[in-house]
Amino acid sequence: MSATSLDAAMVLDSVEQEETARASVLSAFQSVGEFLSQDHEMRERIREAVKGVEQASRELSTLMQLAHRGTANDGGRLCRQAREKLPAIQEKLRCLQQAFPVELYHRFHDHWKFCMQQLTFLCAFIVFLESGKLVTQEQLAEMLGVNIDKGFCVELEDMLQGFLTLATELARLAVNAVTYKDYRLPFTIANFINELNSGFRLLNLKNDHLRKHYDGLKYDVRKVEGVVYDLSIRGLKPTSPTQ
C-alpha cells in the first residue's frame, strides 16, 4: 500500500472514530434528556397531587380548631365530623400514590412528608379527643388509607413529628379548657403529655430536625404543669382526672 493510500485510510479511520464518539456522546445525552423530561413530568404530577392533599388537610385542621371552643366536641360531635372528612383525604392520597411508581417512594418522599406529619397530628388529635389515648400506627394507617410499614406508608419520623405537634396543640388546649371551666381536661392532658415525654426519652434521637422538635416538648410539659399547678392550689383539681 502506498503512503498516500495509507494516509487516506488513517484519515478515514480517524473520521469514523470521531463520528462514533460523537454519536455515543449524543446518545448518552439524549438518554439523560429523556430521563430529566420524564422526571420533571413526574414531579409536576406529584406537586399537583400534593396540593390536593394539602387542601384536604387544611380543611380538617380548620375543623379541629373548634376543639378549643369547649362545647364544640360535646358528645363527640367534632370527632364524628372530623372522621367524615377522612374519606376525602384518603382519596387525595390515592391520587398521590398514582402519580409515581411505588418503588420510587423514598426518592420523592420529601414532596409530601410535611403533609403526612400534619395528617398524623390531626389523626392523633382526633383519637385523643375520642379516647384520651395515643393513636397507634395501625389506627393511623387505617384512618389515612395507607400501608402500615411498606410501600406508601407513614414514615416513623413523620409519625413522631406529628406526635410532637400534638403535644404543642394539647398544651394550648389545656389553657383554653380552663377558660370554659373544664378543669378535668388539663389533668388528662398533663398525664398524657408526661407519658408521651417518657416515651420519647426511650429513643436515641440523632435526626437533627426531629431532635430539635423534641427539645421543644419540655416547654409543652412545663406549660401544662403550670396550668395543673394553678388549678390545684385553687382547689379545682377533680377527684378523678380521667376523661
Side-chain angles (χ1 to χ4, degrees), residues 93 105 109 112-113 115-121 123 136-137 139-142 144-163:
L93 287 173
Y105 172 85
H109 172 246
W112 60 79
K113 69 178 182 180
C115 281
M116 299 308 288
Q117 291 170 14
Q118 179 70 2
L119 288 172
T120 294
F121 149 62
C123 289
T136 66
Q137 195 173 6
Q139 286 177 308
L140 183 59
E142 181 181 359
L144 296 179
V146 299
N147 297 325
I148 295 177
D149 57 2
K150 61 181 179 180
F152 194 98
C153 60
V154 180
E155 294 287 326
L156 286 177
E157 180 185 332
D158 294 341
M159 186 172 68
L160 293 175
Q161 293 277 17
F163 290 168

PDB file of all heavy atoms in Angstrom, residues 93 105 109 112-113 115-121 123 136-137 139-142 144-163:
ATOM      1  N   LEU A  93     -54.868  10.989  48.816  1.00  0.00           N
ATOM      2  CA  LEU A  93     -53.641  10.209  48.982  1.00  0.00           C
ATOM      3  C   LEU A  93     -53.543   9.115  47.921  1.00  0.00           C
ATOM      4  O   LEU A  93     -52.449   8.780  47.462  1.00  0.00           O
ATOM      5  CB  LEU A  93     -53.584   9.608  50.387  1.00  0.00           C
ATOM      6  CG  LEU A  93     -53.297  10.606  51.514  1.00  0.00           C
ATOM      7  CD1 LEU A  93     -53.429   9.928  52.872  1.00  0.00           C
ATOM      8  CD2 LEU A  93     -51.904  11.215  51.370  1.00  0.00           C
ATOM      9  N   TYR A 105     -40.809   5.627  45.960  1.00  0.00           N
ATOM     10  CA  TYR A 105     -41.400   6.300  47.116  1.00  0.00           C
ATOM     11  C   TYR A 105     -40.383   7.155  47.865  1.00  0.00           C
ATOM     12  O   TYR A 105     -40.611   8.334  48.135  1.00  0.00           O
ATOM     13  CB  TYR A 105     -42.013   5.256  48.055  1.00  0.00           C
ATOM     14  CG  TYR A 105     -42.484   5.820  49.382  1.00  0.00           C
ATOM     15  CD1 TYR A 105     -43.746   6.386  49.499  1.00  0.00           C
ATOM     16  CD2 TYR A 105     -41.665   5.796  50.506  1.00  0.00           C
ATOM     17  CE1 TYR A 105     -44.188   6.911  50.703  1.00  0.00           C
ATOM     18  CE2 TYR A 105     -42.100   6.316  51.716  1.00  0.00           C
ATOM     19  CZ  TYR A 105     -43.352   6.875  51.812  1.00  0.00           C
ATOM     20  OH  TYR A 105     -43.774   7.396  52.999  1.00  0.00           O
ATOM     21  N   HIS A 109     -40.182  11.295  48.584  1.00  0.00           N
ATOM     22  CA  HIS A 109     -40.840  11.434  49.890  1.00  0.00           C
ATOM     23  C   HIS A 109     -40.846  12.863  50.418  1.00  0.00           C
ATOM     24  O   HIS A 109     -41.799  13.287  51.078  1.00  0.00           O
ATOM     25  CB  HIS A 109     -40.165  10.495  50.900  1.00  0.00           C
ATOM     26  CG  HIS A 109     -40.624  10.687  52.304  1.00  0.00           C
ATOM     27  ND1 HIS A 109     -39.800  11.165  53.308  1.00  0.00           N
ATOM     28  CD2 HIS A 109     -41.832  10.491  52.879  1.00  0.00           C
ATOM     29  CE1 HIS A 109     -40.482  11.254  54.428  1.00  0.00           C
ATOM     30  NE2 HIS A 109     -41.705  10.844  54.216  1.00  0.00           N
ATOM     31  N   TRP A 112     -44.023  15.205  50.134  1.00  0.00           N
ATOM     32  CA  TRP A 112     -45.257  15.106  50.928  1.00  0.00           C
ATOM     33  C   TRP A 112     -45.012  14.812  52.406  1.00  0.00           C
ATOM     34  O   TRP A 112     -45.962  14.612  53.149  1.00  0.00           O
ATOM     35  CB  TRP A 112     -46.169  14.023  50.350  1.00  0.00           C
ATOM     36  CG  TRP A 112     -45.560  12.657  50.327  1.00  0.00           C
ATOM     37  CD1 TRP A 112     -45.432  11.789  51.378  1.00  0.00           C
ATOM     38  CD2 TRP A 112     -44.975  11.999  49.209  1.00  0.00           C
ATOM     39  NE1 TRP A 112     -44.805  10.630  50.980  1.00  0.00           N
ATOM     40  CE2 TRP A 112     -44.513  10.739  49.648  1.00  0.00           C
ATOM     41  CE3 TRP A 112     -44.797  12.353  47.858  1.00  0.00           C
ATOM     42  CZ2 TRP A 112     -43.891   9.836  48.792  1.00  0.00           C
ATOM     43  CZ3 TRP A 112     -44.163  11.448  47.023  1.00  0.00           C
ATOM     44  CH2 TRP A 112     -43.726  10.212  47.482  1.00  0.00           C
ATOM     45  N   LYS A 113     -43.767  14.805  52.857  1.00  0.00           N
ATOM     46  CA  LYS A 113     -43.507  14.430  54.245  1.00  0.00           C
ATOM     47  C   LYS A 113     -44.159  15.390  55.239  1.00  0.00           C
ATOM     48  O   LYS A 113     -44.659  14.956  56.287  1.00  0.00           O
ATOM     49  CB  LYS A 113     -42.006  14.323  54.518  1.00  0.00           C
ATOM     50  CG  LYS A 113     -41.234  15.632  54.488  1.00  0.00           C
ATOM     51  CD  LYS A 113     -39.777  15.376  54.835  1.00  0.00           C
ATOM     52  CE  LYS A 113     -38.983  16.668  54.862  1.00  0.00           C
ATOM     53  NZ  LYS A 113     -37.553  16.416  55.201  1.00  0.00           N
ATOM     54  N   CYS A 115     -46.913  17.040  54.752  1.00  0.00           N
ATOM     55  CA  CYS A 115     -48.341  16.707  54.734  1.00  0.00           C
ATOM     56  C   CYS A 115     -48.622  15.533  55.665  1.00  0.00           C
ATOM     57  O   CYS A 115     -49.591  15.551  56.428  1.00  0.00           O
ATOM     58  CB  CYS A 115     -48.770  16.320  53.312  1.00  0.00           C
ATOM     59  SG  CYS A 115     -49.029  17.696  52.211  1.00  0.00           S
ATOM     60  N   MET A 116     -47.787  14.501  55.590  1.00  0.00           N
ATOM     61  CA  MET A 116     -48.006  13.316  56.408  1.00  0.00           C
ATOM     62  C   MET A 116     -47.799  13.619  57.886  1.00  0.00           C
ATOM     63  O   MET A 116     -48.488  13.061  58.746  1.00  0.00           O
ATOM     64  CB  MET A 116     -47.074  12.189  55.956  1.00  0.00           C
ATOM     65  CG  MET A 116     -47.289  11.751  54.521  1.00  0.00           C
ATOM     66  SD  MET A 116     -49.015  11.341  54.129  1.00  0.00           S
ATOM     67  CE  MET A 116     -49.200   9.786  55.009  1.00  0.00           C
ATOM     68  N   GLN A 117     -46.870  14.506  58.192  1.00  0.00           N
ATOM     69  CA  GLN A 117     -46.669  14.907  59.589  1.00  0.00           C
ATOM     70  C   GLN A 117     -47.903  15.626  60.116  1.00  0.00           C
ATOM     71  O   GLN A 117     -48.358  15.374  61.241  1.00  0.00           O
ATOM     72  CB  GLN A 117     -45.441  15.809  59.698  1.00  0.00           C
ATOM     73  CG  GLN A 117     -44.130  15.091  59.430  1.00  0.00           C
ATOM     74  CD  GLN A 117     -42.953  16.033  59.295  1.00  0.00           C
ATOM     75  OE1 GLN A 117     -43.036  17.209  59.644  1.00  0.00           O
ATOM     76  NE2 GLN A 117     -41.838  15.527  58.786  1.00  0.00           N
ATOM     77  N   GLN A 118     -48.467  16.510  59.294  1.00  0.00           N
ATOM     78  CA  GLN A 118     -49.670  17.239  59.701  1.00  0.00           C
ATOM     79  C   GLN A 118     -50.862  16.299  59.826  1.00  0.00           C
ATOM     80  O   GLN A 118     -51.655  16.411  60.779  1.00  0.00           O
ATOM     81  CB  GLN A 118     -49.960  18.343  58.676  1.00  0.00           C
ATOM     82  CG  GLN A 118     -51.204  19.166  58.967  1.00  0.00           C
ATOM     83  CD  GLN A 118     -51.060  20.080  60.178  1.00  0.00           C
ATOM     84  OE1 GLN A 118     -50.000  20.133  60.798  1.00  0.00           O
ATOM     85  NE2 GLN A 118     -52.118  20.790  60.520  1.00  0.00           N
ATOM     86  N   LEU A 119     -50.999  15.371  58.897  1.00  0.00           N
ATOM     87  CA  LEU A 119     -52.109  14.429  58.956  1.00  0.00           C
ATOM     88  C   LEU A 119     -51.977  13.490  60.150  1.00  0.00           C
ATOM     89  O   LEU A 119     -52.979  13.120  60.771  1.00  0.00           O
ATOM     90  CB  LEU A 119     -52.189  13.632  57.652  1.00  0.00           C
ATOM     91  CG  LEU A 119     -52.681  14.411  56.431  1.00  0.00           C
ATOM     92  CD1 LEU A 119     -52.543  13.578  55.162  1.00  0.00           C
ATOM     93  CD2 LEU A 119     -54.128  14.852  56.617  1.00  0.00           C
ATOM     94  N   THR A 120     -50.748  13.120  60.479  1.00  0.00           N
ATOM     95  CA  THR A 120     -50.519  12.304  61.677  1.00  0.00           C
ATOM     96  C   THR A 120     -50.991  13.058  62.913  1.00  0.00           C
ATOM     97  O   THR A 120     -51.688  12.500  63.776  1.00  0.00           O
ATOM     98  CB  THR A 120     -49.033  11.958  61.830  1.00  0.00           C
ATOM     99  OG1 THR A 120     -48.626  11.114  60.749  1.00  0.00           O
ATOM    100  CG2 THR A 120     -48.768  11.227  63.143  1.00  0.00           C
ATOM    101  N   PHE A 121     -50.619  14.326  63.004  1.00  0.00           N
ATOM    102  CA  PHE A 121     -51.054  15.158  64.135  1.00  0.00           C
ATOM    103  C   PHE A 121     -52.573  15.217  64.215  1.00  0.00           C
ATOM    104  O   PHE A 121     -53.161  15.032  65.297  1.00  0.00           O
ATOM    105  CB  PHE A 121     -50.464  16.556  64.003  1.00  0.00           C
ATOM    106  CG  PHE A 121     -51.327  17.639  64.591  1.00  0.00           C
ATOM    107  CD1 PHE A 121     -51.626  17.651  65.948  1.00  0.00           C
ATOM    108  CD2 PHE A 121     -51.865  18.628  63.781  1.00  0.00           C
ATOM    109  CE1 PHE A 121     -52.435  18.644  66.489  1.00  0.00           C
ATOM    110  CE2 PHE A 121     -52.669  19.619  64.309  1.00  0.00           C
ATOM    111  CZ  PHE A 121     -52.962  19.623  65.673  1.00  0.00           C
ATOM    112  N   CYS A 123     -54.891  13.186  62.972  1.00  0.00           N
ATOM    113  CA  CYS A 123     -55.471  11.884  63.337  1.00  0.00           C
ATOM    114  C   CYS A 123     -55.238  11.599  64.820  1.00  0.00           C
ATOM    115  O   CYS A 123     -56.125  11.092  65.521  1.00  0.00           O
ATOM    116  CB  CYS A 123     -54.869  10.776  62.484  1.00  0.00           C
ATOM    117  SG  CYS A 123     -55.396  10.814  60.747  1.00  0.00           S
ATOM    118  N   THR A 136     -52.349   4.599  67.404  1.00  0.00           N
ATOM    119  CA  THR A 136     -51.364   3.570  67.062  1.00  0.00           C
ATOM    120  C   THR A 136     -51.015   3.672  65.586  1.00  0.00           C
ATOM    121  O   THR A 136     -51.735   4.303  64.793  1.00  0.00           O
ATOM    122  CB  THR A 136     -51.900   2.166  67.363  1.00  0.00           C
ATOM    123  OG1 THR A 136     -53.018   1.894  66.488  1.00  0.00           O
ATOM    124  CG2 THR A 136     -52.350   2.049  68.820  1.00  0.00           C
ATOM    125  N   GLN A 137     -49.931   3.017  65.207  1.00  0.00           N
ATOM    126  CA  GLN A 137     -49.524   3.012  63.806  1.00  0.00           C
ATOM    127  C   GLN A 137     -50.598   2.351  62.934  1.00  0.00           C
ATOM    128  O   GLN A 137     -50.853   2.788  61.812  1.00  0.00           O
ATOM    129  CB  GLN A 137     -48.192   2.277  63.658  1.00  0.00           C
ATOM    130  CG  GLN A 137     -47.501   2.508  62.336  1.00  0.00           C
ATOM    131  CD  GLN A 137     -46.104   1.907  62.305  1.00  0.00           C
ATOM    132  OE1 GLN A 137     -45.696   1.219  63.233  1.00  0.00           O
ATOM    133  NE2 GLN A 137     -45.370   2.161  61.245  1.00  0.00           N
ATOM    134  N   GLN A 139     -53.901   2.212  63.615  1.00  0.00           N
ATOM    135  CA  GLN A 139     -55.042   3.135  63.516  1.00  0.00           C
ATOM    136  C   GLN A 139     -54.759   4.241  62.512  1.00  0.00           C
ATOM    137  O   GLN A 139     -55.625   4.618  61.721  1.00  0.00           O
ATOM    138  CB  GLN A 139     -55.337   3.751  64.882  1.00  0.00           C
ATOM    139  CG  GLN A 139     -56.009   2.834  65.880  1.00  0.00           C
ATOM    140  CD  GLN A 139     -56.184   3.508  67.229  1.00  0.00           C
ATOM    141  OE1 GLN A 139     -55.232   4.051  67.804  1.00  0.00           O
ATOM    142  NE2 GLN A 139     -57.414   3.493  67.747  1.00  0.00           N
ATOM    143  N   LEU A 140     -53.550   4.757  62.551  1.00  0.00           N
ATOM    144  CA  LEU A 140     -53.166   5.844  61.662  1.00  0.00           C
ATOM    145  C   LEU A 140     -53.244   5.397  60.200  1.00  0.00           C
ATOM    146  O   LEU A 140     -53.784   6.120  59.349  1.00  0.00           O
ATOM    147  CB  LEU A 140     -51.749   6.308  62.004  1.00  0.00           C
ATOM    148  CG  LEU A 140     -51.192   7.498  61.220  1.00  0.00           C
ATOM    149  CD1 LEU A 140     -52.080   8.713  61.401  1.00  0.00           C
ATOM    150  CD2 LEU A 140     -49.769   7.798  61.688  1.00  0.00           C
ATOM    151  N   ALA A 141     -52.716   4.205  59.928  1.00  0.00           N
ATOM    152  CA  ALA A 141     -52.759   3.681  58.564  1.00  0.00           C
ATOM    153  C   ALA A 141     -54.200   3.500  58.094  1.00  0.00           C
ATOM    154  O   ALA A 141     -54.540   3.805  56.942  1.00  0.00           O
ATOM    155  CB  ALA A 141     -51.996   2.353  58.493  1.00  0.00           C
ATOM    156  N   GLU A 142     -55.052   3.019  58.979  1.00  0.00           N
ATOM    157  CA  GLU A 142     -56.461   2.812  58.626  1.00  0.00           C
ATOM    158  C   GLU A 142     -57.172   4.141  58.381  1.00  0.00           C
ATOM    159  O   GLU A 142     -57.953   4.277  57.422  1.00  0.00           O
ATOM    160  CB  GLU A 142     -57.172   2.058  59.747  1.00  0.00           C
ATOM    161  CG  GLU A 142     -58.646   1.773  59.455  1.00  0.00           C
ATOM    162  CD  GLU A 142     -59.342   1.047  60.595  1.00  0.00           C
ATOM    163  OE1 GLU A 142     -58.685   0.748  61.621  1.00  0.00           O
ATOM    164  OE2 GLU A 142     -60.557   0.792  60.466  1.00  0.00           O
ATOM    165  N   LEU A 144     -55.925   6.926  57.337  1.00  0.00           N
ATOM    166  CA  LEU A 144     -55.428   7.597  56.135  1.00  0.00           C
ATOM    167  C   LEU A 144     -55.526   6.720  54.889  1.00  0.00           C
ATOM    168  O   LEU A 144     -55.289   7.193  53.774  1.00  0.00           O
ATOM    169  CB  LEU A 144     -53.971   8.038  56.344  1.00  0.00           C
ATOM    170  CG  LEU A 144     -53.746   9.079  57.436  1.00  0.00           C
ATOM    171  CD1 LEU A 144     -52.269   9.413  57.556  1.00  0.00           C
ATOM    172  CD2 LEU A 144     -54.552  10.351  57.162  1.00  0.00           C
ATOM    173  N   GLY A 145     -55.832   5.448  55.085  1.00  0.00           N
ATOM    174  CA  GLY A 145     -55.952   4.553  53.942  1.00  0.00           C
ATOM    175  C   GLY A 145     -54.620   4.237  53.290  1.00  0.00           C
ATOM    176  O   GLY A 145     -54.538   4.087  52.063  1.00  0.00           O
ATOM    177  N   VAL A 146     -53.556   4.127  54.095  1.00  0.00           N
ATOM    178  CA  VAL A 146     -52.226   3.809  53.571  1.00  0.00           C
ATOM    179  C   VAL A 146     -51.725   2.521  54.221  1.00  0.00           C
ATOM    180  O   VAL A 146     -52.354   1.971  55.118  1.00  0.00           O
ATOM    181  CB  VAL A 146     -51.231   4.959  53.827  1.00  0.00           C
ATOM    182  CG1 VAL A 146     -51.698   6.232  53.139  1.00  0.00           C
ATOM    183  CG2 VAL A 146     -51.058   5.209  55.330  1.00  0.00           C
ATOM    184  N   ASN A 147     -50.567   2.060  53.753  1.00  0.00           N
ATOM    185  CA  ASN A 147     -49.980   0.861  54.334  1.00  0.00           C
ATOM    186  C   ASN A 147     -49.391   1.168  55.705  1.00  0.00           C
ATOM    187  O   ASN A 147     -49.126   2.326  56.047  1.00  0.00           O
ATOM    188  CB  ASN A 147     -48.888   0.298  53.418  1.00  0.00           C
ATOM    189  CG  ASN A 147     -49.448  -0.148  52.082  1.00  0.00           C
ATOM    190  OD1 ASN A 147     -50.569  -0.648  52.008  1.00  0.00           O
ATOM    191  ND2 ASN A 147     -48.684   0.038  51.023  1.00  0.00           N
ATOM    192  N   ILE A 148     -49.127   0.116  56.469  1.00  0.00           N
ATOM    193  CA  ILE A 148     -48.587   0.297  57.811  1.00  0.00           C
ATOM    194  C   ILE A 148     -47.090   0.574  57.779  1.00  0.00           C
ATOM    195  O   ILE A 148     -46.599   1.536  58.366  1.00  0.00           O
ATOM    196  CB  ILE A 148     -48.887  -0.932  58.689  1.00  0.00           C
ATOM    197  CG1 ILE A 148     -50.401  -1.069  58.894  1.00  0.00           C
ATOM    198  CG2 ILE A 148     -48.179  -0.817  60.046  1.00  0.00           C
ATOM    199  CD1 ILE A 148     -50.804  -2.295  59.685  1.00  0.00           C
ATOM    200  N   ASP A 149     -46.324  -0.276  57.076  1.00  0.00           N
ATOM    201  CA  ASP A 149     -44.868  -0.117  57.143  1.00  0.00           C
ATOM    202  C   ASP A 149     -44.148  -0.430  55.836  1.00  0.00           C
ATOM    203  O   ASP A 149     -42.940  -0.644  55.828  1.00  0.00           O
ATOM    204  CB  ASP A 149     -44.296  -0.995  58.266  1.00  0.00           C
ATOM    205  CG  ASP A 149     -44.659  -2.457  58.080  1.00  0.00           C
ATOM    206  OD1 ASP A 149     -45.318  -2.790  57.082  1.00  0.00           O
ATOM    207  OD2 ASP A 149     -44.281  -3.273  58.947  1.00  0.00           O
ATOM    208  N   LYS A 150     -44.865  -0.466  54.721  1.00  0.00           N
ATOM    209  CA  LYS A 150     -44.203  -0.704  53.445  1.00  0.00           C
ATOM    210  C   LYS A 150     -44.990  -0.024  52.342  1.00  0.00           C
ATOM    211  O   LYS A 150     -46.167   0.325  52.512  1.00  0.00           O
ATOM    212  CB  LYS A 150     -44.090  -2.214  53.169  1.00  0.00           C
ATOM    213  CG  LYS A 150     -45.429  -2.928  53.079  1.00  0.00           C
ATOM    214  CD  LYS A 150     -45.244  -4.414  52.843  1.00  0.00           C
ATOM    215  CE  LYS A 150     -46.593  -5.138  52.780  1.00  0.00           C
ATOM    216  NZ  LYS A 150     -46.423  -6.580  52.546  1.00  0.00           N
ATOM    217  N   GLY A 151     -44.330   0.162  51.186  1.00  0.00           N
ATOM    218  CA  GLY A 151     -44.994   0.878  50.110  1.00  0.00           C
ATOM    219  C   GLY A 151     -45.285   2.307  50.531  1.00  0.00           C
ATOM    220  O   GLY A 151     -44.465   2.968  51.184  1.00  0.00           O
ATOM    221  N   PHE A 152     -46.448   2.802  50.164  1.00  0.00           N
ATOM    222  CA  PHE A 152     -46.839   4.160  50.561  1.00  0.00           C
ATOM    223  C   PHE A 152     -47.385   4.082  51.981  1.00  0.00           C
ATOM    224  O   PHE A 152     -48.479   3.578  52.223  1.00  0.00           O
ATOM    225  CB  PHE A 152     -47.892   4.722  49.610  1.00  0.00           C
ATOM    226  CG  PHE A 152     -48.095   6.199  49.759  1.00  0.00           C
ATOM    227  CD1 PHE A 152     -47.457   7.082  48.902  1.00  0.00           C
ATOM    228  CD2 PHE A 152     -48.901   6.717  50.758  1.00  0.00           C
ATOM    229  CE1 PHE A 152     -47.637   8.460  49.033  1.00  0.00           C
ATOM    230  CE2 PHE A 152     -49.086   8.080  50.906  1.00  0.00           C
ATOM    231  CZ  PHE A 152     -48.441   8.956  50.044  1.00  0.00           C
ATOM    232  N   CYS A 153     -46.622   4.602  52.914  1.00  0.00           N
ATOM    233  CA  CYS A 153     -46.984   4.500  54.333  1.00  0.00           C
ATOM    234  C   CYS A 153     -46.587   5.790  55.049  1.00  0.00           C
ATOM    235  O   CYS A 153     -46.023   6.703  54.434  1.00  0.00           O
ATOM    236  CB  CYS A 153     -46.285   3.305  54.985  1.00  0.00           C
ATOM    237  SG  CYS A 153     -44.471   3.403  54.922  1.00  0.00           S
ATOM    238  N   VAL A 154     -46.888   5.847  56.333  1.00  0.00           N
ATOM    239  CA  VAL A 154     -46.435   6.965  57.150  1.00  0.00           C
ATOM    240  C   VAL A 154     -45.085   6.583  57.745  1.00  0.00           C
ATOM    241  O   VAL A 154     -44.985   5.631  58.518  1.00  0.00           O
ATOM    242  CB  VAL A 154     -47.430   7.286  58.285  1.00  0.00           C
ATOM    243  CG1 VAL A 154     -46.919   8.462  59.110  1.00  0.00           C
ATOM    244  CG2 VAL A 154     -48.805   7.606  57.715  1.00  0.00           C
ATOM    245  N   GLU A 155     -44.043   7.310  57.365  1.00  0.00           N
ATOM    246  CA  GLU A 155     -42.708   7.030  57.889  1.00  0.00           C
ATOM    247  C   GLU A 155     -42.681   7.266  59.405  1.00  0.00           C
ATOM    248  O   GLU A 155     -43.388   8.139  59.929  1.00  0.00           O
ATOM    249  CB  GLU A 155     -41.674   7.941  57.227  1.00  0.00           C
ATOM    250  CG  GLU A 155     -41.487   7.692  55.738  1.00  0.00           C
ATOM    251  CD  GLU A 155     -40.739   6.408  55.455  1.00  0.00           C
ATOM    252  OE1 GLU A 155     -39.849   6.041  56.249  1.00  0.00           O
ATOM    253  OE2 GLU A 155     -41.057   5.762  54.434  1.00  0.00           O
ATOM    254  N   LEU A 156     -41.852   6.494  60.097  1.00  0.00           N
ATOM    255  CA  LEU A 156     -41.775   6.615  61.554  1.00  0.00           C
ATOM    256  C   LEU A 156     -41.386   8.029  61.976  1.00  0.00           C
ATOM    257  O   LEU A 156     -41.931   8.571  62.944  1.00  0.00           O
ATOM    258  CB  LEU A 156     -40.768   5.603  62.115  1.00  0.00           C
ATOM    259  CG  LEU A 156     -41.229   4.146  62.131  1.00  0.00           C
ATOM    260  CD1 LEU A 156     -40.102   3.246  62.634  1.00  0.00           C
ATOM    261  CD2 LEU A 156     -42.470   3.972  63.003  1.00  0.00           C
ATOM    262  N   GLU A 157     -40.454   8.634  61.257  1.00  0.00           N
ATOM    263  CA  GLU A 157     -40.050  10.001  61.608  1.00  0.00           C
ATOM    264  C   GLU A 157     -41.212  10.973  61.445  1.00  0.00           C
ATOM    265  O   GLU A 157     -41.421  11.849  62.298  1.00  0.00           O
ATOM    266  CB  GLU A 157     -38.882  10.457  60.738  1.00  0.00           C
ATOM    267  CG  GLU A 157     -38.415  11.868  61.068  1.00  0.00           C
ATOM    268  CD  GLU A 157     -37.339  12.374  60.136  1.00  0.00           C
ATOM    269  OE1 GLU A 157     -36.575  11.550  59.595  1.00  0.00           O
ATOM    270  OE2 GLU A 157     -37.259  13.601  59.951  1.00  0.00           O
ATOM    271  N   ASP A 158     -41.998  10.817  60.385  1.00  0.00           N
ATOM    272  CA  ASP A 158     -43.151  11.693  60.175  1.00  0.00           C
ATOM    273  C   ASP A 158     -44.180  11.488  61.281  1.00  0.00           C
ATOM    274  O   ASP A 158     -44.810  12.450  61.747  1.00  0.00           O
ATOM    275  CB  ASP A 158     -43.783  11.406  58.814  1.00  0.00           C
ATOM    276  CG  ASP A 158     -42.867  11.765  57.657  1.00  0.00           C
ATOM    277  OD1 ASP A 158     -41.931  12.553  57.880  1.00  0.00           O
ATOM    278  OD2 ASP A 158     -43.086  11.258  56.544  1.00  0.00           O
ATOM    279  N   MET A 159     -44.351  10.244  61.707  1.00  0.00           N
ATOM    280  CA  MET A 159     -45.295   9.961  62.779  1.00  0.00           C
ATOM    281  C   MET A 159     -44.851  10.609  64.084  1.00  0.00           C
ATOM    282  O   MET A 159     -45.654  11.227  64.794  1.00  0.00           O
ATOM    283  CB  MET A 159     -45.433   8.443  62.976  1.00  0.00           C
ATOM    284  CG  MET A 159     -46.507   8.046  63.978  1.00  0.00           C
ATOM    285  SD  MET A 159     -46.793   6.247  64.021  1.00  0.00           S
ATOM    286  CE  MET A 159     -45.233   5.713  64.742  1.00  0.00           C
ATOM    287  N   LEU A 160     -43.568  10.519  64.395  1.00  0.00           N
ATOM    288  CA  LEU A 160     -43.049  11.120  65.625  1.00  0.00           C
ATOM    289  C   LEU A 160     -43.156  12.642  65.578  1.00  0.00           C
ATOM    290  O   LEU A 160     -43.461  13.284  66.588  1.00  0.00           O
ATOM    291  CB  LEU A 160     -41.597  10.688  65.845  1.00  0.00           C
ATOM    292  CG  LEU A 160     -41.382   9.200  66.143  1.00  0.00           C
ATOM    293  CD1 LEU A 160     -39.890   8.874  66.207  1.00  0.00           C
ATOM    294  CD2 LEU A 160     -42.067   8.794  67.441  1.00  0.00           C
ATOM    295  N   GLN A 161     -42.899  13.214  64.408  1.00  0.00           N
ATOM    296  CA  GLN A 161     -43.063  14.667  64.265  1.00  0.00           C
ATOM    297  C   GLN A 161     -44.518  15.063  64.525  1.00  0.00           C
ATOM    298  O   GLN A 161     -44.799  16.082  65.171  1.00  0.00           O
ATOM    299  CB  GLN A 161     -42.655  15.105  62.849  1.00  0.00           C
ATOM    300  CG  GLN A 161     -41.171  14.955  62.525  1.00  0.00           C
ATOM    301  CD  GLN A 161     -40.338  16.109  63.022  1.00  0.00           C
ATOM    302  OE1 GLN A 161     -40.761  16.898  63.867  1.00  0.00           O
ATOM    303  NE2 GLN A 161     -39.120  16.223  62.532  1.00  0.00           N
ATOM    304  N   GLY A 162     -45.444  14.251  64.037  1.00  0.00           N
ATOM    305  CA  GLY A 162     -46.857  14.521  64.277  1.00  0.00           C
ATOM    306  C   GLY A 162     -47.221  14.438  65.749  1.00  0.00           C
ATOM    307  O   GLY A 162     -48.024  15.235  66.253  1.00  0.00           O
ATOM    308  N   PHE A 163     -46.610  13.492  66.470  1.00  0.00           N
ATOM    309  CA  PHE A 163     -46.867  13.362  67.905  1.00  0.00           C
ATOM    310  C   PHE A 163     -46.385  14.593  68.666  1.00  0.00           C
ATOM    311  O   PHE A 163     -47.032  15.039  69.614  1.00  0.00           O
ATOM    312  CB  PHE A 163     -46.172  12.120  68.458  1.00  0.00           C
ATOM    313  CG  PHE A 163     -46.764  10.814  68.000  1.00  0.00           C
ATOM    314  CD1 PHE A 163     -46.103   9.619  68.217  1.00  0.00           C
ATOM    315  CD2 PHE A 163     -47.985  10.775  67.345  1.00  0.00           C
ATOM    316  CE1 PHE A 163     -46.652   8.414  67.798  1.00  0.00           C
ATOM    317  CE2 PHE A 163     -48.543   9.579  66.912  1.00  0.00           C
ATOM    318  CZ  PHE A 163     -47.871   8.395  67.153  1.00  0.00           C
TER     319      PHE A 163
END
